[in-house]
Amino acid sequence: MNKYSGKSVLKGIAVGRIFWYQKQDYQVVKTEITDIDAEIGRYKQAIETAKEQLTALYDEALVNVGEDHAMIFDIHRMMLEDDDYLEAIEDVVKEGVNAEYAVEMAQDQFAEMFASMDDEYMKARAADVKDISQRVVRILMGVAEDGIPTDEPVILVADDLTPSETVKMDKNKILAFVTVRGSSNSHTAILARSMNLPALVNTAMEPSEEWNGKVGVVDGFNGEFIMEPDQELLDEMIRRKNQWVADLEALELLKGKDNVTSDGRKVHIYANIGKVSDADAALSADAGGIGLFRSEFLYLGRDTFPTEEEQYVSYKTVLEKMEGRKVIIRTLDIGADKKVDYFNLEPEENPALGYRAIRICLDRPEIFITQLRAIYRASAYGQAAIMFPMIVSVEEVRRVKEIVEQVKGELKVEGYPMGGVELGIMVETPAAAVISAELAKEVDFFSIGTNDLTQYTLAVDRQNQKLESTCNTHHPAVLKLIEMTVQSAHDAGIWAGICGELAADTDLTETFLDMGVDELSVSPSAVLKVRKAVRDI
Ligand code: PEP
Ligand code: MG
């Protein structure tokens, strides 16, 4: 039995088998083969398996995001039936070469052909050829797509996880996350929290191949990861896990109840989401709306920009799922820890202080306009609101509003129906909090991003695990800025909420209500916990 301490991200307990997740850098090597018929059989079988996977993905996407969005998997499946593509693979195998290599040769040949075409649509197909070919290669090499080889859910142990890796993982296959690196305020931690999975980061351990398949326990209450617990401890942890599950079930009784204190003060409790299917978790937690849709997650884990149509379907689906409840979509906050290759961002000395979020959008308006068009088109299907991240000046807000007006004007001419859309900003820089009185005159609401507000106020990098213990999330400077921001909002007659992780800190719920905070937006898993805290006041 070994125990390792880490920083807990979600208070919960998981017991299960360990899987050591390593980065997916498989490499195809050219080898000679003698049994050509067997190799052809192998590649044909892999194509069949790939088609089955794509059919399953299509069915899943159909339910979660609708037909328009699911279509891509159907197209990929059809591409795998293309005679020219299959022939190109088979020709190489017939030369006595292994199937993995043959698939990559066909991939390069077809991707190059598409990339050299003039038509933008056909050019974009190059990425699809790579996508389907790599699926077949992974199957041939026995590498699972998300790296998790079993269907039995596992405790995923990793050195570190990027937001793109986390977002691609199938929640149903994971019981908990434990990482060597990472800080509790990183986006990976936020994702774990939104998946309602116990998780530890910054864990003092050195995982290795031998850990695979061993029994582990993640104790998110005490920040401990235990490998191969003895029977006594295992029994004790199973008992505590059952208690945790029972406590969660007790919170279920608060569904349908008001977020109201015993002296009658009310607050909205909304949920933070990162992808369309999270809206189901928000609904099932009885959230009053979506207080933060981190739209940049639609841009992660893929090779090309999501089109206006794709984004429109995503926003529309969330709005429809939420059935008239407010859905606040934050425009993309790419940059800092959320890296996307196809944005071609240059490496920076200080990415958190760099080219990110609204700065990219104002500099590359074509990206921004595509997103705004998609949101406004979707706004006809529910109560959409938009907020803009990383604002530091009144001028930025005015420029944003000009672009919004332009987009609305164009959509009107094109005949699209649109709903009324509130416009707000994230107050997540000290600058925005300090000039909140001026900013409040420009917008309909404020949403305070305490994750970034804390990092910029205390000069503590939220990604740096070494600073975790010195970072006082209840620092009076941060609380003072929150109070100022809420006051400025109310003086101007607008509302103010909090959507950073601090919103779920129930030690501060009363403080926030005393400040007059109108809305708390938390991960779906924390909605009922915060409701209980409010009702207990
Ligand atoms: C924040 O900074 O508090 C916030 C909600 O935005 P993000 O965590 O996505 O940076
Ligand atoms: Mg932020």
Side-chain angles (χ1 to χ4, degrees), residues 70-80 121 125 128 132:
M71 198 63 87
I72 187 68
F73 299 117
D74 212 27
I75 294 170
H76 279 189
R77 195 183 44 74
M78 287 191 287
M79 287 171 88
L80 282 175
Y121 177 82
R125 301 285 70 76
D128 293 318
I132 57 162

Side-chain angles (χ1 to χ4, degrees), residues 135-199:
R135 179 176 295 284
V136 179
V137 168
R138 282 195 302 269
I139 292 166
L140 283 164
M141 297 181 75
V143 181
E145 191 169 5
D146 53 11
I148 303 174
T150 70
D151 284 338
E152 184 196 346
V154 290
I155 293 176
L156 192 135
V157 170
D159 183 45
D160 201 4
L161 292 167
T162 63
S164 320
E165 283 169 322
T166 320
V167 86
K168 270 201 261 177
M169 283 177 183
D170 177 357
K171 175 181 183 262
N172 298 320
K173 286 164 91 178
I174 301 169
L175 297 169
F177 289 105
V178 186
T179 62
V180 177
R181 291 192 273 166
S183 68
S184 56
N185 229 359
S186 65
H187 282 95
T188 304
I190 290 171
L191 281 168
R193 225 171 270 140
S194 79
M195 291 168 156
N196 201 11
L197 294 173

